[in-house]
């Protein structure tokens, strides 16, 4: 459990922590000389059953509020300190406002210096504190009078902290990537850069490769220490020190994060829900300059509101923060806003979307923000999925909610979402998928009825008519899903009904009766166009136009420069590739292995494989290939080619010298290189 002190300067916060832990948290020479806390101090109270209570002692002077804010981020329990002689003071009030804006609901109020006053005064201060706590989340917090000098009340306070630590349990670190907020960075001779801070999410292990955000610098965790002892890991809710390699101390500062690369998304715009403190003297207007305090970071920013909007004291609303410097943030992070000169607190709020689109707010965007306001990802995803025609950006959703892939996949399944695209970046509901399926079939049928001679409707035309909200990759994946059900065919840039023939006229039928047997007899080695035309006694231009139209219709496939294969032949070639891959232990095969299975030359074998790559049947991986998807929905079913007889591999024909020109003898003929 991490405990932070809060309260006015000289109210005994540091002495209280020292009495509880034995550690003086004032470490700076200036703090010793002036007798006040300037920066954060840290101490630990070991627990009998194992574990620690970590204390963050914050400065109470108004000039050091930014340091105080860095200390109370990510804590579990707050101690609001009020001196019995002074009572409630200005920073008592401001610190409590900050705790409430950060939604810290577990804590206690401690009346220090009880040995200096009588019982009547203690009751007066108790009443002041009770009234102060009443409108906050700490309204029911216990109020304990203590004296760090005489020791009165200290045992009761310590027992309270031990009970709270036992009841709290560990924060859940499962299902999330690591995120660690840095509050100090320094260098140790022989070790290098060391940072201290709090693990907000996930778990960090020795040897982990991570990123310093927002800079994006890659680092490795050399070692971990918790309360001066070496540890192999640190979990969410624990303070620890990390020894990092890959970053010098000058490049790391308070406000940075150490995090997994998957959630490294620096941002300068954040969509938020803002709340203005009731005691503010004036409304918060559009483009008001502010200081944003998020975790340990302090960044200047502007408040962006809808045209004509302003937030009155005590009022809340949706807005956007436009930052002067990039930061890292996640959905649900709490923040504090202070005025431009950083002299008083204006309000605070919670982050809804840390990486919003650059476009202006619209009704659709307002609906998205309303869905994302849900505290947990399951509820938010269900709300997003309820808007049937709006796809869910999965990469964005996983990043802002900090979800590991397996947690995200379970949530998508529960919400009834179907991921689309090669990288599964977007998803739609099963209901929407069914509607788009039916719509695509209907649109393609209507197109053929209106233009029977056209080979098919352009994919982009269908895209804009059917689902412009999807990106091209997601829409292409959608079409492949429908094609797998044999309801449409996708060929090149066209979509058509299965079996549609746009070349059904007498002239083309006659040409097809001439061309098809020639290509069929040529099997796996059809002659290129320039040789096929004289062979069939056809003009190059006429044959070329016909072959390309048949290719658009899906009856032919072009391999290499201008060599054409019948669709059934391509199916056999694909089936052979599948058979060759199945014989390999890792499912990957070489062009030479494929060449031997087909019985053709290596150059032609490579051209065939490249054609299969182009229709996503195979995929090249270095010098090898693997099967990428089932070829049957694309080419139709087929059996692999029978093994060729020994010595049957076709060899390229030697080029004859042009007539009238003697063949040149190579000067390197007798040299062996």
């Amino acid at each position: 459990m991490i405990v932070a002190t809060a309260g006015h300067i000289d109210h005994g916060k540091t002495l209280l922590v020292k009495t509880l832990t034995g550690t003086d948290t004032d470490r700076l020479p200036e703090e010793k000389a002036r007798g006040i806390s300037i920066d954060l101090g840290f101490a630990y109270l070991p627990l009998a059953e194992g574990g620690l209570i970590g204390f963050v002692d914050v400065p109470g002077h108004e000039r050091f509020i930014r340091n105080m804010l860095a200390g109370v981020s990510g804590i579990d329990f707050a101690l609001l300190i009020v001196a019995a002689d002074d009572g409630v003071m200005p920073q008592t009030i401001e610190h409590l406002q900050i705790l409430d804006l950060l939604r810290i609901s577990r804590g206690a109020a401690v009346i220090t210096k009880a040995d200096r006053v009588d019982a009547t005064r203690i009751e007066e201060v108790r009443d002041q504190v009770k009234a102060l706590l009443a409108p906050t989340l700490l309204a029911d917090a216990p109020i304990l009078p203590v004296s760090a000098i005489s020791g009165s009340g200290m045992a009761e306070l310590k027992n309270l902290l031990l009970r709270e630590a036992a009841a709290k349990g560990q924060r859940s670190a499962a299902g999330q990537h690591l995120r660690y907020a840095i509050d100090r960075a320094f260098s140790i001779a022989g070790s290098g850069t060391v940072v201290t801070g709090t693990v907000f999410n996930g778990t960090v292990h020795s040897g982990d490769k991570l990123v310093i955000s927002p800079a994006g610098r890659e680092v490795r965790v050399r070692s971990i220490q918790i309360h001066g002892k070496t540890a192999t890991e640190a979990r969410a809710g624990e303070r620890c020190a990390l020894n990092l390699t890959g970053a010098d101390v000058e490049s790391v500062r308070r406000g940075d994060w150490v995090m997994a690369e998957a959630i490294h998304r620096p941002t300068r715009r954040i969509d938020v829900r803002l709340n203005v403190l009731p005691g503010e003297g004036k409304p918060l207007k559009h483009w008001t300059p502010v200081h944003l305090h998020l975790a340990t970071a302090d960044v200047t920013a502007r408040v962006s509101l809808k045209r004509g909007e302003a937030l009155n004291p005590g009022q809340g609303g949706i807005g956007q923060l436009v930052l002067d410097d990039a930061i890292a943030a996640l959905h649900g992070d709490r923040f504090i806003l202070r005025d431009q000169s950083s002299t008083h607190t204006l309000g605070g709020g919670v982050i809804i979307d840390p990486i919003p689109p650059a476009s202006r707010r619209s009704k659709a965007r307002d609906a998205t923000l309303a869905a994302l306001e849900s505290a947990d990802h399951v509820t938010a995803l269900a709300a997003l999925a309820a808007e049937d025609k709006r796809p869910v950006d999965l990469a964005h959703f996983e990043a802002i909610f900090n979800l590991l892939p397996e947690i995200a996949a379970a949530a998508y399944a529960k919400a009834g979402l179907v991921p689309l695209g090669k990288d599964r970046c977007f998803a739609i509901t099963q209901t929407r998928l069914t509607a788009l399926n039916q719509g695509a079939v209907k649109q393609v049928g209507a197109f053929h009825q209106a233009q029977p001679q056209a080979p098919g409707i352009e994919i982009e035309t269908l895209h804009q008519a059917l689902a412009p909200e999807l990106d091209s990759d997601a829409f292409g994946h959608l079409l492949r899903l429908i094609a797998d059900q044999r309801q449409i065919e996708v060929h090149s840039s066209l979509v058509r009904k299965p079996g549609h023939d746009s070349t059904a006229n007498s002239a083309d039928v006659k040409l097809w009766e001439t061309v098809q047997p020639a290509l069929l007899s040529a099997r796996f080695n059809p002659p290129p166009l320039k040789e096929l035309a004289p062979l069939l006694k056809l003009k190059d231009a006429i044959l070329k136009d016909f072959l390309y139209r048949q290719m658009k219709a899906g009856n032919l496939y072009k391999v290499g420069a201008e060599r054409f294969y019948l669709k059934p032949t391509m199916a056999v070639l694909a089936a052979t590739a599948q058979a060759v891959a199945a014989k390999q232990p890792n499912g990957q095969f070489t062009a030479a292995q494929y060449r031997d299975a087909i019985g053709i030359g290596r150059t032609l074998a490579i051209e065939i494989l490249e054609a299969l790559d182009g229709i996503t049947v195979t995929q090249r991986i270095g010098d090898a290939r693997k099967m990428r998807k089932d070829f049957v929905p694309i080419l139709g079913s087929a059996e692999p080619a029978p093994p060729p007889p020994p010595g049957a591999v076709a060899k390229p024909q030697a080029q004859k010298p042009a007539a009238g020109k003697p063949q040149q003898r190579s000067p390197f003929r007798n040299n062996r290189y």
Side-chain angles (χ1 to χ4, degrees):
M1 184 172 77
I2 301 177
V3 178
T5 62
H8 199 77
I9 184 174
D10 200 30
H11 275 203
K13 296 185 292 298
T14 301
L15 181 59
L16 183 75
V17 173
K18 184 178 180 180
T19 305
L20 286 168
T21 65
T23 300
D24 184 358
T25 57
D26 281 348
R27 56 188 171 79
L28 302 175
E30 189 179 357
E31 291 177 318
K32 301 288 188 184
R34 296 173 63 181
I36 64 170
S37 296
I38 295 172
D39 204 353
L40 303 177
F42 307 99
Y44 298 89
L45 177 64
L47 302 176
E49 65 278 10
L52 298 166
I53 297 177
F55 289 85
V56 183
D57 183 29
V58 308
H61 196 287
E62 62 178 342
R63 287 175 53 196
F64 306 119
I65 286 287
R66 62 177 295 180
N67 293 344
M68 178 269 176
L69 283 160
V72 295
S73 65
I75 67 167
D76 302 303
F77 195 88
L79 291 177
L80 182 68
I81 312 298
V82 183
D85 49 1
D86 286 343
V88 172
M89 297 290 282
Q91 259 55 64
T92 311
I93 298 171
E94 185 169 22
H95 283 203
L96 179 60
Q97 289 174 336
I98 289 168
L99 294 176
D100 202 45
L101 288 168
L102 293 174
R103 310 301 291 173
I104 295 169
S105 58
R106 298 176 64 221
V110 181
I111 301 174
T112 57
K113 305 183 182 180
D115 57 314
R116 295 188 181 184
V117 298
D118 57 24
T120 303
R121 175 57 182 168
I122 289 176
E123 289 306 310
E124 288 177 0
V125 176
R126 186 193 296 273
D127 290 341
Q128 288 180 7
V129 173
K130 192 171 183 179
L132 186 66
L133 294 176
T136 73
L137 293 173
L138 294 172
D140 297 326
I143 303 173
L144 305 176
V146 304
S147 169
I149 300 298
S150 69
S152 67
M154 292 301 298
E156 186 181 356
L157 174 59
K158 187 173 183 178
N159 288 334
L160 170 66
L161 293 172
L162 293 175
R163 289 196 303 274
E164 288 289 337
K168 171 190 168 291
Q170 285 191 322
R171 287 190 210 169
S172 174
Q176 293 190 318
H177 297 283
L178 171 79
R179 195 171 59 134
Y180 169 98
I182 297 173
D183 50 47
R184 278 196 300 161
F186 49 91
S187 182
I188 295 179
S191 296
T193 301
V194 175
V195 297
T196 66
T198 302
V199 183
F200 271 55
N201 311 93
T203 305
V204 59
H205 304 87
S206 295
D208 281 353
K209 292 182 179 180
L210 302 164
V211 171
I212 299 287
S213 191
R217 189 172 293 104
E218 294 181 358
V219 294
R220 185 178 64 83
V221 179
R222 177 184 289 173
S223 61
I224 303 170
Q225 280 198 353
I226 300 176
H227 189 32
K229 295 181 179 179
T230 300
T232 57
E233 68 172 32
R235 299 167 54 85
E238 293 182 333
R239 284 194 56 80
C240 65
L242 304 179
N243 182 198
L244 303 177
T245 60
D248 52 45
V249 71
E250 290 79 14
S251 65
V252 186
R253 60 182 181 177
R254 174 179 291 175
D256 287 346
W257 297 87
V258 180
M259 60 171 55
E261 188 175 8
I263 55 171
H264 168 58
R265 301 284 189 93
T267 181
R268 293 182 63 176
R269 288 181 180 271
I270 302 173
D271 283 343
V272 298
R273 175 163 287 279
L274 291 164
N275 293 288
V276 181
L277 286 173
E280 258 306 287
K282 56 185 179 180
L284 185 66
K285 297 181 179 179
H286 172 70
W287 218 239
T288 299
V290 294
H291 275 261
L292 167 68
H293 294 268
L294 175 69
T296 58
D298 174 9
V299 181
T300 53
R302 297 269 183 174
V303 177
S304 177
L305 301 172
K306 272 189 174 181
R307 187 183 299 275
E309 279 189 359
L311 296 179
N312 294 316
Q315 186 181 1
I318 301 292
Q320 187 175 86
L321 298 177
V322 182
L323 316 180
D324 293 328
D325 296 296
I327 64 168
L330 290 179
H331 170 276
D333 284 348
R334 306 293 308 190
F335 63 87
I336 300 295
L337 294 183
R338 305 196 86 222
D339 68 320
Q340 185 178 16
S341 57
S342 199
T343 57
H344 73 279
T345 302
L346 300 174
V350 62
I351 292 177
I352 302 173
D353 187 350
I355 40 178
S359 57
R360 291 186 178 183
R361 272 174 61 190
S362 60
K363 288 185 179 180
R365 179 60 184 166
D366 285 342
T368 299
L369 290 174
L372 289 176
E373 272 206 89
S374 303
D376 66 283
H377 70 275
V378 174
T379 307
L381 195 60
L384 289 173
E387 182 58 45
D388 218 18
K389 291 190 177 181
R390 188 171 62 239
V392 179
D393 185 335
L394 301 185
H396 174 267
F397 187 84
E398 289 175 28
I400 70 172
F401 277 91
N402 188 14
L403 302 177
L404 292 178
E406 58 270 23
I407 302 298
Y412 302 150
K414 186 174 182 179
L417 290 170
V418 180
L420 299 175
K422 183 173 64 175
D423 298 320
R424 299 166 63 86
C425 292
F426 290 91
I428 57 176
T429 63
Q430 183 62 53
T431 304
R432 177 65 172 157
L433 178 63
T434 301
L436 289 175
N437 189 328
Q438 295 170 350
V441 173
K442 185 177 178 181
Q443 289 265 4
V444 171
F447 178 83
H448 285 320
Q449 191 172 6
Q451 302 184 48
Q453 296 303 314
I457 185 171
E458 289 284 345
I459 289 178
E460 188 54 32
T461 303
L462 187 61
H463 181 188
Q464 294 305 315
L466 202 62
E469 72 276 6
L470 294 176
D471 72 359
S472 297
D473 179 57
F475 187 73
H477 186 85
L478 170 70
L479 291 181
R480 288 192 291 275
L481 289 178
I482 303 172
D484 288 346
Q485 300 173 23
R486 314 289 178 87
Q487 293 180 294
I488 59 171
E489 289 182 352
V490 181
H491 185 77
S492 186
S493 64
L494 300 176
V495 184
R496 66 182 186 184
K497 288 174 64 175
H500 174 73
D501 186 1
S502 63
T503 62
N505 60 72
S506 57
D508 281 351
V509 168
K510 191 174 181 180
L511 267 177
W512 187 241
E513 289 173 352
T514 302
V515 172
Q516 187 183 29
L519 297 180
L520 194 59
S521 64
R523 192 78 169 140
F524 303 140
N525 195 7
L529 176 62
K530 64 180 181 179
E531 296 178 14
L532 184 61
L535 182 67
L536 299 178
K537 300 179 180 179
L538 294 171
K539 291 183 178 180
D540 280 6
I542 292 175
L543 181 59
K544 183 175 182 178
D545 174 69
F546 175 74
L547 292 175
Y548 274 89
R549 283 191 289 112
Q550 290 289 343
M551 188 182 76
K552 275 198 167 185
N555 297 321
L556 295 177
Y557 285 82
K558 185 161 73 78
V559 172
E562 286 191 318
R563 200 185 297 265
F564 293 85
Y565 284 71
L566 295 167
K567 185 176 180 179
T569 305
M570 286 298 288
V572 174
L573 292 170
T576 307
Q578 188 178 64
V580 173
K583 293 178 181 178
Q584 310 310 314
N586 60 356
Q588 296 183 13
F589 62 95
T590 64
Q593 290 170 327
Y594 184 70
R595 171 202 63 195
D596 294 343
I598 294 293
I600 55 175
R602 185 175 185 278
T603 300
L604 185 55
I606 291 173
E607 289 179 346
I608 291 171
L609 288 172
E610 287 173 346
L612 292 174
D613 292 344
I615 57 175
T616 69
V617 169
T618 56
Q619 180 180 357
R620 182 174 177 178
I621 304 172
D623 292 331
R625 277 177 172 80
K626 69 174 185 178
M627 297 303 294
R628 182 172 177 181
K629 64 188 303 184
D630 183 13
F631 68 89
V632 175
I634 302 171
L635 300 170
S637 60
E639 294 296 322
V649 175
K651 297 181 180 179
Q653 294 181 352
Q655 295 291 325
K656 293 182 179 180
K661 292 185 179 180
Q663 187 171 6
Q664 294 293 320
R665 180 185 179 89
S666 169
F668 303 106
R669 181 174 179 180
N670 296 322
N671 291 339
R672 296 181 180 179
Y673 284 94

